[in-house]
Amino acid sequence: MTRSTRLTLQCLVMSALLTLFASAHAKPYGAIEQQRINQTFPQHDAVSAPEGKFNVRTITQANTPIGYVFQSLDVVAIPAYSGKPINTQVILDTAGIIRDAYVLEHHEPILLIGIPEVKLHDFTSHYAGVDVRQRVVVGRSSDPKAVTVDAIAGATVTAMVVNEVVMRAAHEVAVSLKLIDGKAATAQKVALIRTDEFAPATWEQLTGNGAIRRLHLTRGQVDAAFKDTAAEAGEAANETFIDLYVADINPPGIGRNLLGDAHYANLMHTLKPGEQAIAVLGRGVFSFKGSGYVRGGIFDRVQLRQFGNVISFRDLDHQRIDDAYAQDMPDFTEMSVFIVRPQAAFDPGSPWTLELLVRRQTGPVSGTFSSFELPYQLPEEYLERPPPTAAEQAALDEANRPLWLTIWYQKQVQVLVLGVALLVLTAILFLQDSLARRPRLLHWLRRGYLVFTVGFIGWYALGQLSVVNVLTFVHALVQDFRWELFLTDPLIFMLWVFTAASILLWGRGVFCGWLCPFGALQELLNEAARRLKVRQFELPFALHERLWAIKYLILLLLFGLSLESMATAERFAEVEPFKTAITLRFDRQWWFVLYAVALLVINLFTRKVYCRYLCPLGAALAIPSKFRLFDWLKRRQECGNPCQLCAKECEIQAIHPDGHINANECHYCLDCQMTWHNENKCPPLINKRKKRNKAPPGQIPVVQINPNP
């Protein structure tokens, strides 16, 4: 590695490490936020300040809530392909229905100056009227209950990220506001209690494994809940207000150990199918039953909540526990069993909450309540879950997949085709010497691969790599590297992995000469021009050598801009015509099309001018090429002195006059290797063959090697 190269790499690394990136956070976006609210709820008269952990603002009419508005970045921060999260304003109504979704900020390269942003807003408009409990799929789905929305043409990954952002954020906010229950749409079937297993257990063991849960409240904690209300009062802060325990006692491992064999057997005999017995034990100055309870009434101090459903208890649902038998069990002043009836649709295998309601008097007949929650989840050892059907298991697996894995499943055909193509290319590279001895076969093989690269990788699969990917990767290393950021586009990920490996083995030329769709397009057009006898122009090597530096200067400029603003760097990265010619297939504003077409027209007369002098991606790939492990391209002592045949035939002038191949500029077309192996074309081989004929010295036809043919 030369001293200049080392200095360049050191400067790049130091600049990256010294740059600090601000963390993503929601912020005001001017009038657009209020405009969306006005369009969605024109009848509203007030919007509150942000409240709660998600900074939700309440939209009201005549002091009655009619909707809620929030920014997705306050709820979830899912990185899109740019590495930055997409921030969306979402408006919900009080029934948990999305009324509006509008992207406030994004950094997606394809949408910055590529696809018109109106297409993004058209995409998010499809969420109006979607229930947050519904499953929304971008594209097609085998689930008939799923809501499907069409992807953004050319930006499928971005559309899938927006979908996850909107639906996850909306669901979490709706659950936090108790607009909906928290039960997942793909929850398992109702679990069954294991009645065939019993093991003795002490009180300590039952509380230790979570079979019995505890809520301990002091007077100070209760007083804090009533602070700034008419019921505010000051008491002895450390005195126990209530020490409350709860357990589902249907499992024998809990109920028999807590109640004793006889009492448990009597209780289970009275229960009907589908009923659950919940034990509530308490001590302290506060009674969970209350002195105001009368026969035929409702217990107004305890209730259960599951999936948003509130389960209250009447006197017929209550049994008093006169005694308990668990070893080392403390003394309680109140012990009760509450029966959950089948109509409550209670699932013992899912989480539920015991709510303790504390009421304080504020007047002769008025009062205020505060609720304290005791969450409960029956340990799995006491449950038996029926196995899901194949369809249910498939739905569960699909729902639990991370976003990037879902995208890989949806693009599995493209992944398979590209995987086979990369294996074919690997075979070509490893067998390059054998193929180079068959130039006609290798020429047609290469032409076919270039057509595949343009047609499938480029125009169909949109697998065009970009210098923006390089800048994103560098920023991710410094800021917050996450594999899922790069896995969201499977074809781009596969191409980058293969390119990284090929750089170590062969240098940058494998990508630039075989896998770059725009480079392949240029090469095919230039070859067609040569067949049509279009005159070709080549620059003097001294000038050509100096023009190489332009692409490195462009790369450094883009990298410097990215340190200040990634969005600015992405706009200047339009020096790449890739979006116009490949990703958008020339369907773009005329000035972008003119630029791309101009480069292709110049390419008809001078092969791959853009790749040789302007491409910042090629420059970025050339830097790590310094570390390649092998030199697979063969040269002879005569190459360069006196033979100049390969240097003259190299159509991108990557061979120096002294005969050595510049790996930073080589596109690995293998033309020089076909000449190297050709005994009828390579001058040194021709001379050796002639000498092998053993003709008299005066009759040996010496081939004159003209350095300037």
Side-chain angles (χ1 to χ4, degrees), residues 236-258:
N238 295 325
E239 182 183 354
T240 296
F241 182 76
I242 188 171
D243 194 13
L244 192 67
Y245 293 81
V246 67
D248 186 331
I249 58 175
N250 276 49
I254 304 175
R256 282 180 60 185
N257 284 307
L258 186 62

Side-chain angles (χ1 to χ4, degrees), residues 501-507 624-632:
S502 66
I503 285 174
L504 289 177
L505 295 176
W506 297 283
S625 292
K626 293 289 185 180
F627 303 101
R628 73 185 188 282
L629 302 176
F630 306 103
D631 193 355
W632 298 68

Side-chain angles (χ1 to χ4, degrees), residues 203 213-218 240-246 280-286 288 330-334 356 374:
W203 176 264
R213 304 290 176 97
R214 181 191 187 195
L215 173 66
H216 181 262
L217 294 175
T218 65
T240 296
F241 182 76
I242 188 171
D243 194 13
L244 192 67
Y245 293 81
V246 67
V280 181
L281 317 175
R283 57 182 177 175
V285 298
F286 185 76
F288 64 78
D331 294 329
F332 291 99
T333 56
E334 292 180 316
L356 179 70
L374 172 54

